[in-house]
Amino acid sequence: MLDPTLLRTQLAETAARLRATRGYALDVAAFERLEAERKTIQVRTQELQNLRNTRSKAIGQAKAKGEDASAILAEVAGIGDELKASEARLEAVLAEVDAITSGIPNLPDPSVPLGADEGGNVEQHRWGAPRRFEFEVKDHVELGARHGWLDGEAGAKLSGSRFTVLRGDLARLHRALAQFMLNLHTGEHGYLETNVPLIVNADSMRGTGQLPKFEEDLFATELGDSRRYLIPTSEVPLTNLARGEILEAESLPQRYTAHSLCFRSEAGSGGRDVRGMIRQHQFEKVELVSVAHPAQSAEEHERMTRCAEVVLERLGLPYRRMLLCTGDMGFGAIKTFDLEVWLPSQNTYREISSCSNCGDFQARRMQSRFRNPDTGKPELVHTLNGSGVAVGRALIAVMENYQNADGSITLPEALRPYFGGAAQIA
């Protein structure tokens, strides 16, 4: 969340920035009213606490002298009743303030271009030239129908729409892609491989900003009075490893990677990408997460994005890097680079990785800090996350870019060791 001091001391300016960059309308009047009430009640609560303590001491002094303390006892009881009511109201007001602040998006970095939607995104560079085919291109669904490798009907029978069953060499290719990415990020890019829970508590979801704003996009489990959530990305558990921690400055940056299942309800996305594996309720990603010193986070953002680019280059997949505009960035990001891979069947680039610097937005929610060696005081870290990359979309890209006229798929050189040196699957 945003720094509360910013909202309390520069409310009008902050609201104007949010409207101009995010199209977000902060209810300034409501926030000012709640803040005024909070200050009044907080001052009165502290006064009552001090008064109760003072009068409670007077009771002890009176009893020690053998004096009648009944009047003071009655006074303290009355103070206690008012204090209890004041504390309850303060808690309610703070909850209302939290409800507002939890829904406010992060402020974009000054280097982010203004724009209302994806039309305002700016291309940074391209790598690789799209292949010219001498035959009619098939999409991944048609290619996957060969031998029953990709089976949406079986997925629907087992679980419903937006689920897919993979079989045979296509399932093996999917596994090989994840293995390749993990090996690259751990062996060459310096990320620590981590195996994390797929089900997390509400505190973890709040820490990275999925709650309360995006609850409708989440799958949840209920067991007795306990409600937990299936992760939409391993960004959630990886980033929350630092929740409530005070890290040593010399340990930064801390870099983690994980291959995990991810679950999203895709609420409100009906009609988009319903064919095949582009947009699934269950999918897999190799995630990259960094916990960084604030002075290092911009450099770390570039580094992380480059690590994701190397995945696509090793696979020989044409892509472009996009700098997202203010209106297309995620809720918690200050700056985001998207990598879009070329899909021949759609004759366009489609997102396969999104790498974001969240600044101290998540860290403030999580109270994730490092100790400043100069002052000895804890300060908020910066958190970053990115796909390194989405496994299912990488599978689609390999299938379509490496397809042959007879429906077989040539394997990129980087993946052949996972197939005993075979050059294609047929």
Side-chain angles (χ1 to χ4, degrees):
M1 60 179 63
L2 294 181
D3 185 348
T5 303
L6 193 63
L7 294 171
R8 291 169 183 167
T9 62
Q10 302 178 41
L11 180 60
E13 297 93 328
T14 303
R17 286 178 63 192
L18 286 166
R19 183 180 293 277
T21 60
R22 292 286 202 164
Y24 180 85
L26 175 61
D27 191 335
V28 173
F31 191 84
E32 286 179 330
R33 175 182 58 78
L34 285 169
E35 267 297 290
E37 187 176 2
R38 179 195 63 79
K39 290 177 184 177
T40 300
I41 297 174
Q42 197 161 310
V43 168
R44 181 55 181 163
T45 299
Q46 291 171 346
E47 289 174 349
L48 290 168
Q49 289 170 339
N50 292 334
L51 183 59
R52 182 185 62 180
N53 293 338
T54 300
R55 301 308 288 157
S56 293
K57 289 180 182 178
I59 292 172
Q61 293 169 348
K63 287 183 176 180
K65 296 177 182 179
E67 299 173 353
D68 181 9
S70 57
I72 307 176
L73 283 167
E75 181 185 356
V76 169
I79 293 170
D81 290 341
E82 185 182 353
L83 176 59
K84 186 176 180 180
S86 184
E87 288 174 336
R89 181 54 191 159
L90 179 60
E91 184 178 349
V93 171
L94 288 173
E96 290 185 65
V97 172
D98 184 68
I100 293 175
T101 56
S102 294
I104 300 174
N106 206 350
L107 288 167
D109 185 82
S111 64
V112 174
L114 284 174
D117 51 35
E118 62 182 12
N121 297 341
V122 178
E123 183 175 320
Q124 303 284 286
H125 60 251
R126 297 189 182 197
W127 184 92
R131 174 184 169 190
R132 293 175 178 267
F133 290 88
E134 297 178 353
F135 56 87
E136 186 175 350
V137 169
K138 297 181 177 66
D139 70 8
H140 72 283
V141 178
E142 295 173 283
L143 292 165
R146 183 183 178 87
H147 309 309
W149 283 348
L150 190 156
D151 194 339
E153 291 184 4
K157 180 177 75 172
L158 297 174
S159 303
S161 63
R162 297 185 189 269
F163 289 91
T164 301
V165 171
L166 298 180
R167 297 188 181 95
D169 279 346
L170 199 61
R172 185 177 181 181
L173 178 56
H174 187 269
R175 172 166 55 90
L177 282 161
Q179 290 279 95
F180 160 71
M181 294 175 203
L182 276 179
N183 290 342
L184 177 62
H185 293 315
T186 58
E188 298 185 33
H189 295 158
Y191 286 86
L192 178 67
E193 184 171 353
T194 313
N195 190 292
V196 292
L198 302 182
I199 300 175
V200 297
N201 56 33
D203 286 342
S204 294
M205 286 294 191
R206 290 191 192 98
T208 46
Q210 278 75 23
L211 288 179
K213 185 174 177 61
F214 301 105
E215 185 153 14
E216 68 170 3
D217 288 325
L218 303 173
F219 284 103
T221 66
E222 301 276 357
L223 183 61
D225 295 332
S226 176
R227 182 176 177 86
R228 292 185 173 87
Y229 297 86
L230 279 68
I231 61 170
T233 162
S234 54
E235 168 205 342
V236 176
L238 288 174
T239 308
N240 273 276
L241 289 172
R243 174 159 51 93
E245 302 290 332
I246 299 178
L247 308 172
E248 295 304 319
E250 57 267 24
S251 73
L252 303 177
Q254 295 185 359
R255 301 182 178 117
Y256 300 101
T257 186
H259 167 225
S260 75
L261 290 165
C262 307
F263 304 89
R264 294 182 188 172
S265 72
E266 300 290 357
S269 65
R272 294 191 300 165
D273 300 320
V274 294
R275 179 175 167 82
M277 292 180 62
I278 292 287
R279 194 176 294 275
Q280 298 275 280
H281 289 317
Q282 174 185 304
F283 57 98
E284 296 179 37
K285 276 204 304 176
V286 172
E287 188 75 4
L288 305 175
V289 161
S290 293
V291 179
H293 190 287
Q296 299 170 330
S297 69
E299 180 182 349
E300 188 69 12
H301 189 203
E302 289 286 344
R303 183 188 189 278
M304 175 181 286
T305 307
R306 181 62 194 145
C307 290
E309 289 177 339
V310 171
V311 172
L312 301 179
E313 291 174 13
R314 295 283 179 89
L315 294 173
L317 296 172
Y319 71 88
R320 65 180 183 179
R321 183 202 281 203
M322 304 295 291
L323 171 60
L324 299 196
C325 69
T326 55
D328 199 34
M329 285 199 314
F331 175 74
I334 61 172
K335 188 173 185 177
T336 298
F337 293 117
D338 270 11
L339 302 183
E340 298 179 348
V341 70
W342 178 258
L343 293 186
S345 69
Q346 299 184 18
N347 197 39
T348 192
Y349 292 92
R350 295 298 301 270
E351 179 201 335
I352 194 170
S353 173
S354 190
C355 297
S356 296
N357 185 352
C358 295
D360 60 13
F361 189 80
Q362 294 177 329
R364 183 170 288 103
R365 289 171 176 249
M366 297 187 300
Q367 279 302 288
S368 176
R369 297 168 290 174
F370 73 99
R371 193 172 302 281
N372 187 320
D374 296 327
T375 65
K377 295 180 180 180
E379 297 179 14
L380 293 171
V381 298
H382 280 194
T383 59
L384 304 94
N385 64 82
S387 306
V389 296
V391 181
R393 294 195 177 188
L395 177 70
I396 293 168
V398 168
M399 292 170 68
E400 293 197 4
N401 283 280
Y402 284 91
Q403 65 180 287
N404 301 310
D406 62 359
S408 63
I409 299 167
T410 298
L411 294 170
E413 291 281 352
L415 299 180
R416 293 180 185 181
Y418 300 92
F419 283 83
Q424 68 174 31
I425 55 175

